[in-house]
Amino acid sequence: MPGIEGLGHVGIHTEDLMKMRDFYTRVMGLQIADENLERGIVFLSANPDYEHHEFVLTKGRDVPTGAKLVQQISFKVQNPDDLKDFHSRLQAEQMTIDRFVSHGNALGLYFFDPEGNRIEVYYKTGFPVPQPRGDALNIEASSEDWLATARAAIPENRR
């Protein structure tokens, strides 16, 4: 049986394509790989030279406001301090920040995009911590403190 290599991309429908395009490029830092605004589609990538697109926005969200379509969309960051930078950017945009936690195996900052989709930016710690887990973190603490919290969650039998 063939196996799955990994997740290629995620696409979501949006009510306001240009507002979402602005948010995901200006605030989240994704790059436009391709787009056809006449057809209502924008292809976004963290690194278009490596992966044409990981995220797609299309016009045509036709569900009632507040309908839950997506559990969450998660984006990886390269180092834990990037989480603090995203937190500041999101506050400047007056975005609703849901929580900042250690899962042990990752540090996650959760918030809602302009159309209410739950988004996570996370840093992979690599620590072997069973899931689910969500220890609250203080965004004002140092990344070393965050990693210490994550490391402390490693069970004895996995150290």
PDB file of all heavy atoms in Angstrom, residues 37-56:
ATOM      1  N   LEU A  37      -6.997  36.842  -9.165  1.00  0.00           N
ATOM      2  CA  LEU A  37      -8.024  37.533  -8.401  1.00  0.00           C
ATOM      3  C   LEU A  37      -9.364  37.526  -9.134  1.00  0.00           C
ATOM      4  O   LEU A  37     -10.417  37.558  -8.505  1.00  0.00           O
ATOM      5  CB  LEU A  37      -7.575  38.953  -8.068  1.00  0.00           C
ATOM      6  CG  LEU A  37      -6.324  39.031  -7.185  1.00  0.00           C
ATOM      7  CD1 LEU A  37      -5.919  40.475  -6.933  1.00  0.00           C
ATOM      8  CD2 LEU A  37      -6.514  38.285  -5.879  1.00  0.00           C
ATOM      9  N   GLU A  38      -9.323  37.475 -10.451  1.00  0.00           N
ATOM     10  CA  GLU A  38     -10.562  37.378 -11.228  1.00  0.00           C
ATOM     11  C   GLU A  38     -11.311  36.082 -10.901  1.00  0.00           C
ATOM     12  O   GLU A  38     -12.523  36.072 -10.751  1.00  0.00           O
ATOM     13  CB  GLU A  38     -10.223  37.442 -12.715  1.00  0.00           C
ATOM     14  CG  GLU A  38     -11.382  37.795 -13.597  1.00  0.00           C
ATOM     15  CD  GLU A  38     -10.914  38.039 -15.018  1.00  0.00           C
ATOM     16  OE1 GLU A  38     -10.319  39.113 -15.261  1.00  0.00           O
ATOM     17  OE2 GLU A  38     -11.142  37.149 -15.861  1.00  0.00           O
ATOM     18  N   ARG A  39     -10.562  35.014 -10.770  1.00  0.00           N
ATOM     19  CA  ARG A  39     -11.162  33.715 -10.401  1.00  0.00           C
ATOM     20  C   ARG A  39     -11.301  33.567  -8.889  1.00  0.00           C
ATOM     21  O   ARG A  39     -11.940  32.648  -8.416  1.00  0.00           O
ATOM     22  CB  ARG A  39     -10.313  32.562 -10.948  1.00  0.00           C
ATOM     23  CG  ARG A  39     -10.440  32.441 -12.457  1.00  0.00           C
ATOM     24  CD  ARG A  39      -9.755  31.229 -13.008  1.00  0.00           C
ATOM     25  NE  ARG A  39     -10.217  30.010 -12.363  1.00  0.00           N
ATOM     26  CZ  ARG A  39      -9.518  28.884 -12.334  1.00  0.00           C
ATOM     27  NH1 ARG A  39      -8.341  28.816 -12.898  1.00  0.00           N
ATOM     28  NH2 ARG A  39     -10.000  27.824 -11.734  1.00  0.00           N
ATOM     29  N   GLY A  40     -10.646  34.446  -8.121  1.00  0.00           N
ATOM     30  CA  GLY A  40     -10.781  34.439  -6.670  1.00  0.00           C
ATOM     31  C   GLY A  40      -9.941  33.394  -5.970  1.00  0.00           C
ATOM     32  O   GLY A  40     -10.419  32.696  -5.082  1.00  0.00           O
ATOM     33  N   ILE A  41      -8.657  33.308  -6.340  1.00  0.00           N
ATOM     34  CA  ILE A  41      -7.783  32.322  -5.704  1.00  0.00           C
ATOM     35  C   ILE A  41      -6.382  32.907  -5.515  1.00  0.00           C
ATOM     36  O   ILE A  41      -5.859  33.595  -6.392  1.00  0.00           O
ATOM     37  CB  ILE A  41      -7.746  30.997  -6.502  1.00  0.00           C
ATOM     38  CG1 ILE A  41      -7.056  29.895  -5.700  1.00  0.00           C
ATOM     39  CG2 ILE A  41      -7.140  31.190  -7.882  1.00  0.00           C
ATOM     40  CD1 ILE A  41      -7.309  28.500  -6.233  1.00  0.00           C
ATOM     41  N   VAL A  42      -5.802  32.651  -4.326  1.00  0.00           N
ATOM     42  CA  VAL A  42      -4.459  33.113  -3.996  1.00  0.00           C
ATOM     43  C   VAL A  42      -3.683  31.927  -3.429  1.00  0.00           C
ATOM     44  O   VAL A  42      -4.138  31.272  -2.492  1.00  0.00           O
ATOM     45  CB  VAL A  42      -4.497  34.262  -2.950  1.00  0.00           C
ATOM     46  CG1 VAL A  42      -3.080  34.705  -2.588  1.00  0.00           C
ATOM     47  CG2 VAL A  42      -5.324  35.430  -3.451  1.00  0.00           C
ATOM     48  N   PHE A  43      -2.519  31.644  -4.027  1.00  0.00           N
ATOM     49  CA  PHE A  43      -1.641  30.569  -3.573  1.00  0.00           C
ATOM     50  C   PHE A  43      -0.515  31.186  -2.752  1.00  0.00           C
ATOM     51  O   PHE A  43       0.205  32.050  -3.245  1.00  0.00           O
ATOM     52  CB  PHE A  43      -1.048  29.813  -4.768  1.00  0.00           C
ATOM     53  CG  PHE A  43      -2.071  29.135  -5.627  1.00  0.00           C
ATOM     54  CD1 PHE A  43      -2.647  29.799  -6.706  1.00  0.00           C
ATOM     55  CD2 PHE A  43      -2.469  27.840  -5.348  1.00  0.00           C
ATOM     56  CE1 PHE A  43      -3.591  29.182  -7.498  1.00  0.00           C
ATOM     57  CE2 PHE A  43      -3.414  27.218  -6.128  1.00  0.00           C
ATOM     58  CZ  PHE A  43      -3.987  27.887  -7.206  1.00  0.00           C
ATOM     59  N   LEU A  44      -0.348  30.724  -1.512  1.00  0.00           N
ATOM     60  CA  LEU A  44       0.625  31.304  -0.586  1.00  0.00           C
ATOM     61  C   LEU A  44       1.650  30.260  -0.153  1.00  0.00           C
ATOM     62  O   LEU A  44       1.324  29.079  -0.004  1.00  0.00           O
ATOM     63  CB  LEU A  44      -0.094  31.857   0.641  1.00  0.00           C
ATOM     64  CG  LEU A  44      -1.126  32.945   0.355  1.00  0.00           C
ATOM     65  CD1 LEU A  44      -2.041  33.151   1.542  1.00  0.00           C
ATOM     66  CD2 LEU A  44      -0.432  34.235  -0.015  1.00  0.00           C
ATOM     67  N   SER A  45       2.869  30.732   0.102  1.00  0.00           N
ATOM     68  CA  SER A  45       3.941  29.832   0.516  1.00  0.00           C
ATOM     69  C   SER A  45       4.890  30.532   1.475  1.00  0.00           C
ATOM     70  O   SER A  45       5.121  31.740   1.371  1.00  0.00           O
ATOM     71  CB  SER A  45       4.729  29.347  -0.707  1.00  0.00           C
ATOM     72  OG  SER A  45       5.781  28.479  -0.319  1.00  0.00           O
ATOM     73  N   ALA A  46       5.460  29.758   2.384  1.00  0.00           N
ATOM     74  CA  ALA A  46       6.520  30.260   3.252  1.00  0.00           C
ATOM     75  C   ALA A  46       7.827  30.350   2.469  1.00  0.00           C
ATOM     76  O   ALA A  46       8.698  31.158   2.790  1.00  0.00           O
ATOM     77  CB  ALA A  46       6.692  29.355   4.469  1.00  0.00           C
ATOM     78  N   ASN A  47       7.974  29.520   1.437  1.00  0.00           N
ATOM     79  CA  ASN A  47       9.182  29.481   0.631  1.00  0.00           C
ATOM     80  C   ASN A  47       8.814  28.989  -0.769  1.00  0.00           C
ATOM     81  O   ASN A  47       8.930  27.804  -1.057  1.00  0.00           O
ATOM     82  CB  ASN A  47      10.213  28.558   1.290  1.00  0.00           C
ATOM     83  CG  ASN A  47      11.519  28.510   0.538  1.00  0.00           C
ATOM     84  OD1 ASN A  47      11.649  29.022  -0.571  1.00  0.00           O
ATOM     85  ND2 ASN A  47      12.514  27.878   1.147  1.00  0.00           N
ATOM     86  N   PRO A  48       8.379  29.890  -1.649  1.00  0.00           N
ATOM     87  CA  PRO A  48       7.913  29.479  -2.971  1.00  0.00           C
ATOM     88  C   PRO A  48       8.956  28.760  -3.827  1.00  0.00           C
ATOM     89  O   PRO A  48       8.595  27.993  -4.716  1.00  0.00           O
ATOM     90  CB  PRO A  48       7.490  30.788  -3.638  1.00  0.00           C
ATOM     91  CG  PRO A  48       7.359  31.778  -2.554  1.00  0.00           C
ATOM     92  CD  PRO A  48       8.234  31.320  -1.432  1.00  0.00           C
ATOM     93  N   ASP A  49      10.253  28.990  -3.564  1.00  0.00           N
ATOM     94  CA  ASP A  49      11.285  28.278  -4.325  1.00  0.00           C
ATOM     95  C   ASP A  49      11.324  26.798  -3.955  1.00  0.00           C
ATOM     96  O   ASP A  49      11.734  25.964  -4.753  1.00  0.00           O
ATOM     97  CB  ASP A  49      12.661  28.901  -4.097  1.00  0.00           C
ATOM     98  CG  ASP A  49      12.774  30.297  -4.693  1.00  0.00           C
ATOM     99  OD1 ASP A  49      12.035  30.588  -5.661  1.00  0.00           O
ATOM    100  OD2 ASP A  49      13.575  31.094  -4.179  1.00  0.00           O
ATOM    101  N   TYR A  50      10.920  26.481  -2.740  1.00  0.00           N
ATOM    102  CA  TYR A  50      10.927  25.101  -2.258  1.00  0.00           C
ATOM    103  C   TYR A  50       9.568  24.425  -2.469  1.00  0.00           C
ATOM    104  O   TYR A  50       9.484  23.299  -2.932  1.00  0.00           O
ATOM    105  CB  TYR A  50      11.315  25.066  -0.775  1.00  0.00           C
ATOM    106  CG  TYR A  50      11.238  23.692  -0.160  1.00  0.00           C
ATOM    107  CD1 TYR A  50      12.181  22.721  -0.468  1.00  0.00           C
ATOM    108  CD2 TYR A  50      10.200  23.365   0.700  1.00  0.00           C
ATOM    109  CE1 TYR A  50      12.098  21.444   0.082  1.00  0.00           C
ATOM    110  CE2 TYR A  50      10.114  22.091   1.248  1.00  0.00           C
ATOM    111  CZ  TYR A  50      11.061  21.150   0.934  1.00  0.00           C
ATOM    112  OH  TYR A  50      10.961  19.876   1.474  1.00  0.00           O
ATOM    113  N   GLU A  51       8.494  25.112  -2.078  1.00  0.00           N
ATOM    114  CA  GLU A  51       7.140  24.558  -2.171  1.00  0.00           C
ATOM    115  C   GLU A  51       6.239  25.634  -2.759  1.00  0.00           C
ATOM    116  O   GLU A  51       6.082  26.702  -2.159  1.00  0.00           O
ATOM    117  CB  GLU A  51       6.646  24.147  -0.780  1.00  0.00           C
ATOM    118  CG  GLU A  51       5.309  23.477  -0.744  1.00  0.00           C
ATOM    119  CD  GLU A  51       5.332  22.050  -1.294  1.00  0.00           C
ATOM    120  OE1 GLU A  51       6.255  21.290  -0.954  1.00  0.00           O
ATOM    121  OE2 GLU A  51       4.427  21.722  -2.074  1.00  0.00           O
ATOM    122  N   HIS A  52       5.685  25.375  -3.923  1.00  0.00           N
ATOM    123  CA  HIS A  52       4.880  26.389  -4.603  1.00  0.00           C
ATOM    124  C   HIS A  52       3.839  26.997  -3.677  1.00  0.00           C
ATOM    125  O   HIS A  52       3.708  28.216  -3.602  1.00  0.00           O
ATOM    126  CB  HIS A  52       4.197  25.804  -5.844  1.00  0.00           C
ATOM    127  CG  HIS A  52       3.377  26.804  -6.580  1.00  0.00           C
ATOM    128  ND1 HIS A  52       2.033  26.991  -6.324  1.00  0.00           N
ATOM    129  CD2 HIS A  52       3.711  27.691  -7.538  1.00  0.00           C
ATOM    130  CE1 HIS A  52       1.570  27.946  -7.109  1.00  0.00           C
ATOM    131  NE2 HIS A  52       2.571  28.391  -7.864  1.00  0.00           N
ATOM    132  N   HIS A  53       3.100  26.167  -2.981  1.00  0.00           N
ATOM    133  CA  HIS A  53       2.126  26.698  -2.013  1.00  0.00           C
ATOM    134  C   HIS A  53       1.839  25.663  -0.939  1.00  0.00           C
ATOM    135  O   HIS A  53       1.830  24.471  -1.189  1.00  0.00           O
ATOM    136  CB  HIS A  53       0.827  27.138  -2.705  1.00  0.00           C
ATOM    137  CG  HIS A  53       0.075  26.036  -3.374  1.00  0.00           C
ATOM    138  ND1 HIS A  53       0.392  25.565  -4.637  1.00  0.00           N
ATOM    139  CD2 HIS A  53      -0.983  25.303  -2.959  1.00  0.00           C
ATOM    140  CE1 HIS A  53      -0.437  24.597  -4.961  1.00  0.00           C
ATOM    141  NE2 HIS A  53      -1.283  24.407  -3.967  1.00  0.00           N
ATOM    142  N   GLU A  54       1.641  26.189   0.274  1.00  0.00           N
ATOM    143  CA  GLU A  54       1.202  25.376   1.403  1.00  0.00           C
ATOM    144  C   GLU A  54      -0.192  25.770   1.841  1.00  0.00           C
ATOM    145  O   GLU A  54      -0.853  25.047   2.568  1.00  0.00           O
ATOM    146  CB  GLU A  54       2.139  25.543   2.620  1.00  0.00           C
ATOM    147  CG  GLU A  54       3.546  25.052   2.401  1.00  0.00           C
ATOM    148  CD  GLU A  54       4.525  26.197   2.170  1.00  0.00           C
ATOM    149  OE1 GLU A  54       4.090  27.307   1.813  1.00  0.00           O
ATOM    150  OE2 GLU A  54       5.729  25.970   2.324  1.00  0.00           O
ATOM    151  N   PHE A  55      -0.634  26.955   1.382  1.00  0.00           N
ATOM    152  CA  PHE A  55      -1.893  27.514   1.842  1.00  0.00           C
ATOM    153  C   PHE A  55      -2.573  28.209   0.671  1.00  0.00           C
ATOM    154  O   PHE A  55      -1.918  28.930  -0.096  1.00  0.00           O
ATOM    155  CB  PHE A  55      -1.605  28.499   2.980  1.00  0.00           C
ATOM    156  CG  PHE A  55      -2.798  28.918   3.779  1.00  0.00           C
ATOM    157  CD1 PHE A  55      -3.643  27.986   4.353  1.00  0.00           C
ATOM    158  CD2 PHE A  55      -3.072  30.254   3.977  1.00  0.00           C
ATOM    159  CE1 PHE A  55      -4.736  28.378   5.107  1.00  0.00           C
ATOM    160  CE2 PHE A  55      -4.156  30.664   4.733  1.00  0.00           C
ATOM    161  CZ  PHE A  55      -4.995  29.718   5.297  1.00  0.00           C
ATOM    162  N   VAL A  56      -3.880  27.996   0.539  1.00  0.00           N
ATOM    163  CA  VAL A  56      -4.643  28.579  -0.561  1.00  0.00           C
ATOM    164  C   VAL A  56      -5.875  29.276  -0.003  1.00  0.00           C
ATOM    165  O   VAL A  56      -6.578  28.727   0.851  1.00  0.00           O
ATOM    166  CB  VAL A  56      -5.089  27.483  -1.564  1.00  0.00           C
ATOM    167  CG1 VAL A  56      -5.893  28.090  -2.708  1.00  0.00           C
ATOM    168  CG2 VAL A  56      -3.902  26.698  -2.092  1.00  0.00           C
TER     169      VAL A  56
END
